[in-house]
Amino acid sequence: MRTARTASMPWWSSPAGIACGFLLPLMFLIAWAGEVRHPALTIRGVQVLDLGWLMLGGLLLAALALGGALGAQLQPRAGAPRPLGVGADRAALAIGLVAVLAFSVWFRDFLLDPALLWATLSGAYKPERDSIELTPGLTSLANVTPVFFSLYLFRRLDPGGAGRGPALPLPRALHVLAIVLALLTAFRVYVWSERLALIESLVPLGLAVGRWAAARPGAAGTLLRVAGPFAAIPLVILYFGAAEYARSWASDTYQGRLDFWEFALGRFASYYYTSLNNGASLLANSAWPTWTFEFTLEWLHRAPLGLGQPFSTLTGYAGRTFEQHLFTYQDPEFNSPSGLYAVVSDLGLTGAVVYMCAVGLLSGMAFRAYREGRLAGVLLYPIFFISFMEMYRYPYLGTARAFTWTCGIVLALLLARVLAPAPAPASASASASASTLEGRQP
C-alpha cells in the first residue's frame, strides 16, 4: 500500500506553531501596548488584565498547542490521498453558485439598481446596515464563500498535492466564480462594514501560499516561511485602519491630532487589548462556570425553526448576559469577550483546558490531512486556522457564521463524492493493462 506523502509547511501554519510562536508573544505585546499612555489608544472601562490573567491565557494556549502537536502526529488509516480532481472542482462550482445566489438575494437592491450601486461605490450614498434587508436562512449562506476559496486556492496553487503543477487544469468557470465572489466579498466589507468576511476568504489563500512557499527557494519564500504572520501584521493594521477611517478617523477625537498610521495602530492595539480585558473582567466580576454555553455554542442557542429554544431552556440560558457586564464594568462599543476567557466563563478552568486540547487535537489532525492534500483537510483546516486568528476576540467556532461554514464543508464533502466521475470498470482496466504488457513483449 502506498503511504501518504506529507508536504512541508511553514512553522506558523501548524496549530502548535501558531499558538506558541505567534499568539503567545502577541498576547503579551498587546497587554504591554494597553499600558502605554498614548493619545491613539482608546482604553475604556475597568482595567483588570494583569500578569495573572495573562498566565491563564498562556495556559490555555499551551493546551491548544499540546493538542495540536499530538493531532498532527496521528496517521489516518486511509492510504495515500489522490490529488483533488473533478469531484472537488464540481463541488467548488456548486458551493460557489450557492454563495453567489446568497449574495444576489442579500444585495439585490444594489445589483438591480445601477444608479444606487454607483452612488454607493462612489461614496455619495452610505447605507446603514439596518436599511439592507436580510432573508433569514438564505443570506447567511454567503458564509459558505470560504469553502469555495479553500478548494479553489488549494487547486490553484498546489493542485497536484506536490507543488509541481496541476494534475488537471482548473475549469474556467471556477476562475470566473473566484473573481465574482472576491468582488462580492469586497462589496460586503464596504457596505456591511464587516472586516471579518474578507479575512475569512484570505485565510485559505494564506495556507495555500504557505504550502506553496515551503519548497520554494529565494528571498520571498524565505520571508513567508520564517516571518509568516508577523510580516502580515502591517497589512492587517492597514486594512483595519482603512475600515475604521470613515467611521472614526474623521471624528473630532482623532482628526488633526494623529496621522493615519498612529490612528490605525492605536485603534488596532486598543481593539485587541479591550477584547482580552473584557474577558478577564468577565471572570473577575462574575460567577463561573455558567454552563450556559453562551459563547462556545452560541450558534445552537440561535438555531432557527425553534431548535435553539429547547437547548437554551436545558442550559438555563435566558439571553446574553455579557452586554450587561459591559454596561456595568466596560464599554458596550467594544463588545468582544475574548476567545480565551469566554471559554472559561462557559466551562470553568478544567473544562476550558479540555476544550482547548480537543480543538487542538482536531485541528492538528486536520492540519496533517491538509499537508497530505486530503480533501477533508483542505476543507476543514482553514476554519480551525481562522479560529486561531480570532482567538483574542471571541470563540469563533461557537458562532453562527462558523456553523454555516461547517455546513458548507459537509455539503462540499458530499458533493465531491457524488459528483466525482465513475471509476473505469475493473475489467476494462485489466484488459488495458494486459494489452500494454503484450505490446511490450519482444
Side-chain angles (χ1 to χ4, degrees):
M1 179 184 295
R2 294 181 304 155
T3 57
R5 190 191 71 83
T6 305
S8 175
M9 289 189 69
W11 64 267
W12 50 264
S13 58
S14 71
I18 197 72
C20 294
F22 181 70
L23 293 177
L24 187 61
L26 184 64
M27 180 177 65
F28 283 93
L29 181 61
I30 292 171
W32 170 80
E35 300 298 328
V36 176
R37 301 300 179 222
H38 191 279
L41 293 170
T42 307
I43 307 298
R44 300 170 185 161
V46 180
Q47 289 184 247
V48 301
L49 188 64
D50 58 17
L51 182 59
W53 294 115
L54 292 175
M55 295 300 291
L56 173 59
L59 172 65
L60 297 177
L61 288 176
L64 177 69
L66 179 63
L70 177 61
Q73 299 303 314
L74 296 180
Q75 175 67 48
R77 292 185 178 180
R82 292 173 297 179
L84 303 189
V86 175
D89 290 347
R90 291 174 177 174
L93 180 62
I95 294 293
L97 291 175
V98 169
V100 169
L101 173 63
F103 274 119
S104 299
V105 173
W106 189 357
F107 298 124
R108 58 187 178 275
D109 293 340
F110 301 92
L111 300 177
L112 297 176
D113 188 342
L116 177 63
L117 178 61
W118 173 249
T120 303
L121 294 176
S122 63
Y125 171 67
K126 179 63 176 176
E128 297 293 333
R129 291 184 62 157
D130 294 341
S131 68
I132 302 176
E133 184 179 354
L134 296 174
T135 304
L138 184 57
T139 50
S140 60
L141 290 177
N143 293 326
V144 303
T145 300
V147 179
F148 167 82
F149 281 116
S150 296
L151 290 170
Y152 172 77
L153 291 167
F154 188 91
R155 282 273 283 122
R156 183 72 179 85
L157 292 176
D158 201 1
R164 294 191 296 267
L168 59 130
L170 272 168
R172 182 175 299 178
L174 292 185
H175 297 305
V176 174
L177 264 180
I179 295 172
V180 171
L181 285 174
L183 292 174
L184 288 171
T185 300
F187 187 73
R188 174 182 182 176
V189 173
Y190 177 70
V191 174
W192 198 248
S193 300
E194 189 179 3
R195 293 184 295 264
L196 183 56
L198 182 59
I199 297 174
E200 288 170 329
S201 295
L202 287 177
V203 160
L205 174 62
L207 290 173
V209 168
R211 193 170 190 271
W212 172 87
R216 294 300 187 280
T222 301
L223 178 64
L224 286 171
R225 290 192 299 272
V226 176
F230 289 104
I233 286 179
L235 296 177
V236 174
I237 293 175
L238 175 62
Y239 173 58
F240 188 90
E244 291 282 310
Y245 174 84
R247 183 172 64 178
S248 301
W249 196 52
S251 67
D252 293 337
T253 304
Y254 299 102
Q255 186 64 35
R257 302 182 182 183
L258 301 170
D259 63 34
F260 174 77
W261 280 106
E262 280 185 312
F263 160 78
L265 184 58
R267 290 289 286 184
F268 181 83
S270 302
Y271 192 69
Y272 282 93
Y273 177 88
T274 304
S275 297
L276 289 171
N277 187 65
N278 283 347
S281 174
L282 178 65
L283 296 183
N285 296 289
S286 60
W288 49 272
T290 63
W291 297 110
T292 60
F293 303 96
E294 177 177 347
F295 305 102
T296 50
L297 288 177
E298 178 191 1
W299 65 268
L300 188 51
H301 288 296
R302 298 173 56 184
L305 304 177
L307 299 177
Q309 186 56 48
F311 179 71
S312 297
T313 302
L314 178 65
T315 59
Y317 177 72
R320 291 182 63 85
T321 59
F322 183 60
E323 281 76 7
Q324 183 59 46
H325 173 82
L326 294 177
F327 275 106
T328 305
Y329 296 99
Q330 304 301 327
D331 187 335
E333 180 185 353
F334 300 95
N335 58 3
S336 297
S338 103
L340 293 173
Y341 306 118
V343 176
V344 179
S345 176
D346 274 356
L347 309 177
L349 180 56
T350 302
V353 170
V354 172
Y355 175 90
M356 288 295 178
C357 283
V359 170
L361 182 68
L362 294 174
S363 63
M365 295 171 64
F367 173 64
R368 184 183 182 101
Y370 187 95
R371 292 176 64 189
E372 295 175 353
R374 298 180 187 274
L375 177 62
V378 171
L379 288 169
L380 280 169
Y381 191 56
I383 193 172
F384 282 109
F385 199 81
I386 188 72
S387 74
F388 305 151
M389 296 295 96
E390 291 297 294
M391 186 70 70
Y392 294 144
R393 293 211 305 138
Y394 54 88
Y396 181 86
L397 295 177
T399 64
R401 65 192 305 133
F403 175 73
T404 307
W405 186 342
T406 303
C407 290
I409 291 172
V410 174
L411 179 60
L413 287 170
L414 293 175
L415 289 175
R417 177 179 293 270
V418 171
L419 300 178
S427 58
S429 301
S431 299
S433 300
S435 299
T436 302
L437 290 174
E438 290 176 1
R440 290 180 179 175
Q441 293 177 357

